[in-house]
Coordinates of all heavy atoms in Angstrom, one line a residue:
D30 N 14.4 -7.7 7.1 CA 14.5 -8.8 8.1 C 13.5 -8.6 9.2 O 13.2 -9.5 9.9 CB 15.9 -8.8 8.6 CG 16.9 -9.1 7.6 OD1 16.7 -9.9 6.7 OD2 18.0 -8.5 7.7
T31 N 12.9 -7.4 9.3 CA 12.0 -7.1 10.4 C 11.1 -5.9 10.0 O 11.3 -5.3 8.9 CB 12.7 -6.8 11.7 OG1 11.8 -6.7 12.8 CG2 13.5 -5.5 11.6
I32 N 10.1 -5.6 10.8 CA 9.3 -4.4 10.5 C 10.1 -3.1 10.5 O 10.9 -2.9 11.4 CB 8.1 -4.3 11.6 CG1 7.2 -5.5 11.4 CG2 7.4 -3.0 11.4 CD1 6.1 -5.6 12.5
Q33 N 9.9 -2.3 9.5 CA 10.6 -1.1 9.3 C 9.9 0.0 10.2 O 8.7 0.2 10.2 CB 10.5 -0.6 7.9 CG 11.2 0.7 7.6 CD 12.6 0.8 8.0 OE1 13.0 1.6 9.0 NE2 13.5 0.0 7.4
E34 N 10.8 0.6 11.0 CA 10.2 1.6 12.0 C 10.3 3.0 11.6 O 9.8 3.9 12.2 CB 11.0 1.4 13.4 CG 10.9 0.1 14.0 CD 9.5 -0.3 14.5 OE1 8.7 0.7 14.6 OE2 9.3 -1.4 14.8
R35 N 11.0 3.3 10.5 CA 11.2 4.7 10.0 C 10.2 5.0 8.9 O 10.2 4.3 7.9 CB 12.6 5.0 9.5 CG 13.6 4.9 10.6 CD 15.0 5.4 10.1 NE 14.9 6.8 9.6 CZ 15.0 7.8 10.4 NH1 15.2 7.7 11.7 NH2 14.9 9.0 9.8
P36 N 9.3 6.0 9.0 CA 8.3 6.3 8.0 C 8.9 6.6 6.6 O 8.2 6.4 5.6 CB 7.5 7.5 8.6 CG 8.4 8.1 9.6 CD 9.2 7.0 10.2
D37 N 10.1 7.2 6.6 CA 10.7 7.5 5.3 C 11.2 6.3 4.5 O 11.6 6.4 3.4 CB 11.8 8.5 5.5 CG 12.9 8.0 6.4 OD1 12.6 7.2 7.3 OD2 14.1 8.5 6.2
K38 N 11.1 5.1 5.2 CA 11.6 3.9 4.6 C 10.4 3.0 4.2 O 10.5 1.9 3.6 CB 12.5 3.1 5.5 CG 13.7 3.8 5.9 CD 14.7 4.0 4.8 CE 16.0 4.6 5.3 NZ 17.0 4.9 4.1
L39 N 9.2 3.5 4.5 CA 8.0 2.7 4.2 C 7.5 2.9 2.8 O 7.6 3.9 2.2 CB 6.8 3.1 5.2 CG 7.1 2.9 6.7 CD1 5.9 3.4 7.5 CD2 7.4 1.4 7.0
N40 N 6.9 1.8 2.2 CA 6.2 1.8 1.0 C 4.7 1.5 1.2 O 4.3 1.0 2.3 CB 6.8 0.8 0.0 CG 8.2 1.2 -0.5 OD1 8.4 2.3 -0.8 ND2 9.1 0.2 -0.4
L41 N 3.9 1.8 0.2 CA 2.5 1.4 0.2 C 2.3 0.1 -0.5 O 2.7 0.0 -1.7 CB 1.6 2.5 -0.4 CG 0.1 2.3 -0.4 CD1 -0.4 2.3 1.0 CD2 -0.6 3.4 -1.2
Y42 N 1.6 -0.8 0.1 CA 1.3 -2.1 -0.5 C -0.2 -2.4 -0.6 O -0.9 -2.0 0.3 CB 2.1 -3.2 0.2 CG 3.5 -3.1 0.2 CD1 4.2 -2.4 1.2 CD2 4.3 -3.7 -0.8 CE1 5.6 -2.3 1.2 CE2 5.7 -3.5 -0.9 CZ 6.3 -2.8 0.1 OH 7.7 -2.7 0.1
F43 N -0.6 -3.1 -1.6 CA -2.0 -3.4 -1.6 C -2.2 -4.8 -2.3 O -1.4 -5.3 -3.1 CB -2.9 -2.4 -2.3 CG -3.0 -2.5 -3.8 CD1 -4.1 -3.0 -4.4 CD2 -1.9 -2.1 -4.6 CE1 -4.2 -3.1 -5.8 CE2 -2.0 -2.2 -6.0 CZ -3.1 -2.7 -6.6
S44 N -3.3 -5.5 -1.8 CA -3.7 -6.8 -2.4 C -5.1 -6.7 -2.8 O -5.9 -6.1 -2.1 CB -3.4 -7.9 -1.3 OG -4.0 -9.1 -1.8
T45 N -5.5 -7.4 -3.8 CA -6.9 -7.4 -4.3 C -7.5 -8.8 -4.1 O -8.6 -9.0 -4.4 CB -7.0 -7.0 -5.7 OG1 -6.3 -7.9 -6.6 CG2 -6.5 -5.6 -5.9
D46 N -6.7 -9.8 -3.6 CA -7.1 -11.2 -3.5 C -6.9 -11.7 -2.1 O -6.6 -12.9 -1.9 CB -6.4 -12.0 -4.5 CG -4.9 -12.0 -4.4 OD1 -4.4 -11.3 -3.5 OD2 -4.2 -12.6 -5.3
G47 N -7.1 -10.9 -1.1 CA -7.1 -11.3 0.3 C -5.7 -11.6 0.8 O -5.6 -12.4 1.7
G48 N -4.7 -11.0 0.2 CA -3.3 -11.1 0.8 C -2.5 -12.2 0.1 O -1.4 -12.5 0.6
R49 N -3.0 -12.8 -0.9 CA -2.2 -13.9 -1.6 C -1.2 -13.3 -2.5 O -0.1 -13.8 -2.7 CB -3.2 -14.8 -2.4 CG -4.0 -15.7 -1.5 CD -5.0 -16.6 -2.3 NE -5.6 -17.6 -1.4 CZ -6.6 -17.4 -0.6 NH1 -7.1 -16.2 -0.4 NH2 -7.0 -18.4 0.2
N50 N -1.5 -12.1 -3.1 CA -0.5 -11.4 -3.9 C -0.5 -10.0 -3.5 O -1.5 -9.4 -3.2 CB -0.9 -11.6 -5.4 CG -0.8 -13.0 -5.9 OD1 0.3 -13.5 -6.1 ND2 -1.9 -13.7 -6.1
W51 N 0.7 -9.4 -3.7 CA 0.9 -8.0 -3.2 C 1.5 -7.1 -4.3 O 2.3 -7.7 -5.1 CB 1.7 -7.9 -1.9 CG 1.0 -8.6 -0.8 CD1 1.1 -9.9 -0.4 CD2 0.2 -7.9 0.2 NE1 0.3 -10.1 0.7 CE2 -0.2 -8.9 1.1 CE3 -0.2 -6.6 0.4 CZ2 -1.1 -8.6 2.2 CZ3 -1.1 -6.3 1.4 CH2 -1.5 -7.3 2.3
R52 N 1.2 -5.8 -4.3 CA 1.8 -4.9 -5.2 C 2.4 -3.7 -4.4 O 1.7 -3.2 -3.5 CB 0.9 -4.4 -6.3 CG 0.5 -5.4 -7.3 CD -0.4 -4.9 -8.4 NE -0.7 -5.8 -9.4 CZ -1.4 -5.6 -10.5 NH1 -2.0 -4.4 -10.6 NH2 -1.6 -6.5 -11.4
E53 N 3.6 -3.3 -4.8 CA 4.2 -2.1 -4.2 C 3.9 -0.9 -5.1 O 4.2 -0.9 -6.3 CB 5.7 -2.3 -4.1 CG 6.4 -1.2 -3.5 CD 7.9 -1.4 -3.4 OE1 8.4 -2.2 -2.5 OE2 8.7 -0.9 -4.3
T54 N 3.1 0.0 -4.5 CA 2.5 1.1 -5.4 C 3.1 2.4 -5.3 O 2.9 3.3 -6.1 CB 1.0 1.2 -5.1 OG1 0.8 1.6 -3.8 CG2 0.3 -0.1 -5.3
K55 N 3.9 2.7 -4.2 CA 4.4 4.1 -4.1 C 5.9 3.9 -3.6 O 6.2 3.0 -2.9 CB 3.7 4.9 -3.0 CG 2.2 5.2 -3.4 CD 2.1 6.0 -4.7 CE 2.7 7.4 -4.5 NZ 2.5 8.2 -5.8
P56 N 6.8 4.8 -3.9 CA 8.2 4.8 -3.5 C 8.3 5.1 -2.0 O 7.4 5.6 -1.4 CB 8.8 5.9 -4.3 CG 7.7 6.9 -4.6 CD 6.5 6.0 -4.8
S57 N 9.5 4.8 -1.5 CA 9.7 5.0 0.0 C 9.5 6.5 0.3 O 9.7 7.4 -0.5 CB 11.2 4.7 0.3 OG 11.4 3.3 0.1
G58 N 9.0 6.7 1.5 CA 8.8 8.1 1.9 C 7.3 8.5 1.8 O 6.9 9.5 2.3
M59 N 6.5 7.7 1.2 CA 5.0 8.0 1.1 C 4.4 7.5 2.4 O 4.3 6.4 2.7 CB 4.4 7.2 -0.1 CG 3.0 7.4 -0.3 SD 2.5 9.1 -0.5 CE 1.2 9.3 0.6
S60 N 3.9 8.5 3.1 CA 3.2 8.1 4.4 C 1.9 8.8 4.4 O 1.6 9.6 3.6 CB 4.1 8.5 5.6 OG 4.3 9.9 5.6
G61 N 1.1 8.6 5.5 CA -0.2 9.1 5.6 C -1.2 8.0 5.5 O -1.1 7.1 4.7
R62 N -2.3 8.1 6.2 CA -3.3 7.1 6.2 C -4.3 7.2 5.1 O -4.6 8.3 4.7 CB -4.1 7.2 7.5 CG -5.1 6.1 7.7 CD -5.8 6.2 9.0 NE -6.9 5.2 9.0 CZ -7.0 4.2 9.9 NH1 -6.2 4.1 10.9 NH2 -8.0 3.4 9.9
F63 N -4.7 6.1 4.5 CA -5.6 6.1 3.4 C -7.0 5.6 4.0 O -7.1 4.5 4.5 CB -5.2 5.1 2.3 CG -4.0 5.6 1.6 CD1 -2.7 5.4 2.0 CD2 -4.2 6.4 0.4 CE1 -1.7 6.0 1.3 CE2 -3.1 6.9 -0.3 CZ -1.9 6.7 0.2
D64 N -7.9 6.6 4.0 CA -9.2 6.3 4.7 C -10.3 6.0 3.8 O -11.5 5.8 4.3 CB -9.5 7.5 5.6 CG -8.8 7.5 6.9 OD1 -8.5 6.4 7.4 OD2 -8.6 8.6 7.4
A65 N -10.1 6.0 2.5 CA -11.2 5.6 1.6 C -10.7 4.8 0.5 O -9.6 5.1 0.0 CB -11.9 6.9 1.1
V66 N -11.5 3.8 0.1 CA -11.1 2.9 -1.0 C -12.3 2.7 -1.9 O -13.4 2.4 -1.4 CB -10.6 1.5 -0.5 CG1 -10.1 0.7 -1.7 CG2 -9.5 1.7 0.6
F67 N -12.1 3.0 -3.2 CA -13.2 2.8 -4.1 C -12.6 2.0 -5.3 O -11.5 2.0 -5.6 CB -13.7 4.1 -4.7 CG -14.0 5.1 -3.6 CD1 -13.0 6.1 -3.2 CD2 -15.2 5.1 -3.0 CE1 -13.3 7.0 -2.2 CE2 -15.5 6.0 -2.0 CZ -14.6 7.0 -1.6
R68 N -13.5 1.2 -5.9 CA -13.1 0.4 -7.1 C -14.2 0.5 -8.1 O -15.4 0.3 -7.9 CB -12.9 -1.0 -6.7 CG -12.3 -1.9 -7.8 CD -12.2 -3.3 -7.5 NE -11.6 -4.1 -8.5 CZ -11.5 -5.4 -8.6 NH1 -12.0 -6.1 -7.6 NH2 -10.9 -6.0 -9.6
R69 N -13.8 0.9 -9.3 CA -14.7 0.9 -10.5 C -13.9 0.7 -11.8 O -12.9 1.3 -12.0 CB -15.4 2.3 -10.5 CG -16.3 2.5 -11.7 CD -17.1 3.8 -11.6 NE -18.0 3.7 -10.4 CZ -18.8 4.8 -10.1 NH1 -18.8 5.8 -10.8 NH2 -19.6 4.7 -9.0
A70 N -14.5 -0.2 -12.6 CA -13.9 -0.5 -13.9 C -12.4 -0.9 -13.8 O -11.6 -0.5 -14.6 CB -14.0 0.7 -14.8
G71 N -12.1 -1.7 -12.7 CA -10.7 -2.2 -12.6 C -9.7 -1.2 -12.0 O -8.5 -1.4 -12.0
T72 N -10.2 0.0 -11.6 CA -9.3 1.0 -11.0 C -9.6 1.2 -9.6 O -10.8 1.4 -9.2 CB -9.4 2.3 -11.8 OG1 -9.1 2.1 -13.1 CG2 -8.5 3.4 -11.2
S73 N -8.6 1.2 -8.7 CA -8.7 1.4 -7.3 C -8.3 2.9 -7.0 O -7.4 3.4 -7.6 CB -7.8 0.5 -6.5 OG -8.0 -0.8 -6.7
V74 N -9.2 3.6 -6.3 CA -8.9 5.0 -5.9 C -8.7 5.0 -4.4 O -9.5 4.6 -3.6 CB -10.1 5.9 -6.3 CG1 -9.8 7.3 -6.0 CG2 -10.4 5.7 -7.8
L75 N -7.5 5.5 -4.0 CA -7.1 5.6 -2.6 C -7.1 7.1 -2.2 O -6.4 7.9 -2.9 CB -5.7 5.0 -2.4 CG -5.4 3.7 -3.0 CD1 -4.0 3.3 -2.7 CD2 -6.4 2.7 -2.6

């Protein structure tokens, strides 16, 4: 219903089409900043 404030409740989400579609990629509790993004042959590396 609102922004989650607890890091252990957060998931990682990503979009490849400018925010029109989203994927949930990691279970709750995954935190930490992702500072590099690479894409090759259809695979994203975070």
Side-chain angles (χ1 to χ4, degrees):
D30 300 323
T31 187
I32 293 174
Q33 177 57 246
E34 300 290 347
R35 294 189 59 86
D37 59 331
K38 300 293 185 181
L39 298 178
N40 291 313
L41 178 67
Y42 297 91
F43 86 102
S44 172
T45 62
D46 57 6
R49 287 176 171 80
N50 295 285
W51 294 88
R52 288 182 174 182
E53 183 180 282
T54 63
K55 297 298 293 181
S57 296
M59 179 61 225
S60 61
R62 182 177 176 125
F63 289 85
D64 278 333
V66 185
F67 309 94
R68 186 184 184 188
R69 178 172 293 179
T72 298
S73 302
V74 183
L75 316 180

